[in-house]
Amino acid sequence: MSLDNPRTTINKIVDIKDSLPKKQRQLCDYILKNTQSIGLITVKELATNAQVGISTVMRTINSLGYENFNDLRKDIYDESLPSNSMWALKKSITEIPKEEGRAPTVIKVWKESVNLLNKSLDADLMENFEIAVNFIEKSSHINILGSRPYKATALYLEQLLGEFYSKIRQLSHDTEVVYDRILQFEKDEVLVVFAFEPYTNRIIEAAKLAYELGNRIILITDYISCPIVPYASVTLKVEINKEQFSIVPIIALIEALVIEIGKRSSEESIKRLKKLEKTLIEKNVIFSY
């Protein structure tokens, strides 16, 4: 017996996994990170890959409302399939032949970056993108938090948005006092969190605190198994490649957010940008012909 509503299986795994025993949580995390390959493996292979017993797989299947693995596998596989247009674009990219005389590293990195962008842009991201922008538009302040390599993406969002939007607080500079800052949030403030594996406890606890205080959280992450997902008001998931570090999809998402926010407040945004440009030229900060 499979779930009646398609596209609910993955969400249900996210919703219940934290209430399951340790080994079942481990299995759920594996499934959430490998949704597109689940349709191609057996129960035994799933148990081996997730490093759990077959009995754990069967108990988890029952917890999700299924009687057998085939139904679960089919639903997850169907939910994880991209649209035909996505596959077509991916094929056109990955089948470009290697050209002699070009640096192989730059070609490989370039192709994979485009591939990650393509895989990231799905129906869920587009729907959640709209929700995230609405949250930001209605908020009194935007608070931004990222750590380790992703502190750079948090700073990039602040830099771009700050050109025309003044109600921003950057929490990434000193995470030692991040709880102090969150305790000062007003109810209508939002927290934008960049959280990618390996997730840091401080980021998780900060998001949990904001959630407990009633603030909306916009989560930008790599997996829906991210421990912050239960606290997030909306999750923007982008694809990553474990073999090749890349923040290209994150950068594209940031730029799309900034452009959309700017468009929704276009009159005021353009006014501020023109004023900034004029001031920078007058102060000889930037070169002008």
Side-chain angles (χ1 to χ4, degrees):
M1 178 184 71
S2 65
L3 300 172
D4 294 332
N5 185 5
R7 302 196 60 77
T8 61
T9 310
I10 292 174
N11 290 335
K12 186 168 185 179
I13 294 174
V14 172
D15 291 340
I16 74 168
K17 74 182 183 73
D18 289 337
S19 66
L20 298 175
K22 182 179 179 180
K23 283 294 184 180
Q24 292 188 47
R25 290 201 306 271
Q26 180 176 320
L27 174 63
C28 288
D29 284 338
Y30 178 84
I31 292 173
L32 291 172
K33 292 179 182 179
N34 299 275
T35 52
Q36 292 189 6
S37 64
I38 296 301
L40 307 174
I41 61 177
T42 64
V43 172
K44 184 177 179 181
E45 288 171 334
L46 176 59
T48 300
N49 294 345
Q51 299 181 344
V52 300
I54 292 179
S55 60
T56 296
V57 176
M58 300 312 298
R59 283 195 293 270
T60 306
I61 288 171
N62 292 335
S63 296
L64 292 168
Y66 290 86
E67 295 179 353
N68 60 75
F69 176 62
N70 285 337
D71 287 341
L72 172 67
R73 178 173 61 180
K74 181 180 182 301
D75 282 357
I76 291 178
Y77 183 70
D78 289 345
E79 291 175 29
S80 65
L81 281 176
S83 67
N84 291 335
S85 61
M86 293 297 178
W87 278 115
L89 181 55
K90 178 176 181 242
K91 184 176 180 181
S92 69
I93 294 167
T94 56
E95 291 187 355
I96 296 174
K98 180 179 177 180
E99 297 182 35
E100 296 298 329
R102 299 285 183 89
T105 300
V106 71
I107 293 175
K108 179 181 177 182
V109 170
W110 209 276
K111 286 182 181 179
E112 183 56 26
S113 295
V114 177
N115 188 34
L116 289 173
L117 284 169
N118 178 46
K119 290 167 68 177
S120 295
L121 187 60
D122 58 15
D124 285 339
L125 181 65
M126 294 175 69
E127 179 180 350
N128 290 338
F129 176 89
E130 183 71 17
I131 295 171
V133 173
N134 287 337
F135 286 161
I136 291 173
E137 189 178 22
K138 295 174 183 177
S139 67
S140 63
H141 276 86
I142 303 169
N143 301 275
I144 308 172
L145 179 61
S147 67
R148 308 186 74 214
Y150 303 99
K151 177 180 178 180
T153 58
L155 297 176
Y156 186 57
L157 173 57
E158 178 193 21
Q159 177 64 37
L160 286 188
L161 198 55
E163 297 286 339
F164 60 87
Y165 191 95
S166 60
K167 300 175 181 178
I168 305 173
R169 295 193 191 99
Q170 182 61 253
L171 307 183
S172 308
H173 293 302
D174 191 357
T175 56
E176 293 292 333
V177 295
V178 67
Y179 304 134
D180 309 55
R181 300 289 181 264
I182 292 173
L183 286 170
Q184 297 172 13
F185 285 3
E186 299 294 335
K187 286 292 185 181
D188 57 352
E189 295 187 30
V190 299
L191 174 63
V192 179
V193 180
F194 293 85
F196 293 77
E197 278 196 329
Y199 311 110
T200 61
N201 288 326
R202 185 157 292 167
I203 294 288
I204 297 168
E205 291 302 317
K208 183 179 180 182
L209 177 59
Y211 169 80
E212 290 171 347
L213 292 172
N215 294 103
R216 285 174 169 162
I217 298 171
I218 298 172
L219 172 63
I220 299 175
T221 191
D222 46 2
Y223 296 114
I224 52 177
S225 59
C226 172
I228 298 176
V229 167
Y231 310 128
S233 303
V234 63
T235 299
L236 302 172
K237 187 184 84 67
V238 297
E239 291 291 327
I240 56 101
N241 184 331
K242 292 182 179 179
E243 283 72 44
Q244 176 185 307
F245 177 75
S246 175
I247 61 169
V248 170
I250 310 172
I251 295 299
L253 178 59
I254 288 171
E255 292 174 352
L257 284 169
V258 171
I259 291 170
E260 182 61 25
I261 294 165
K263 284 168 61 179
R264 295 194 184 190
S265 57
S266 58
E267 185 175 339
E268 183 63 26
S269 300
I270 293 171
K271 181 180 177 181
R272 291 191 179 192
L273 287 170
K274 286 182 176 178
K275 183 178 180 181
L276 174 62
E277 181 183 21
K278 182 176 181 290
T279 301
L280 292 176
I281 292 173
E282 289 175 349
K283 299 298 182 183
N284 291 319
V285 175
I286 58 175
F287 177 77
S288 177
Y289 289 100

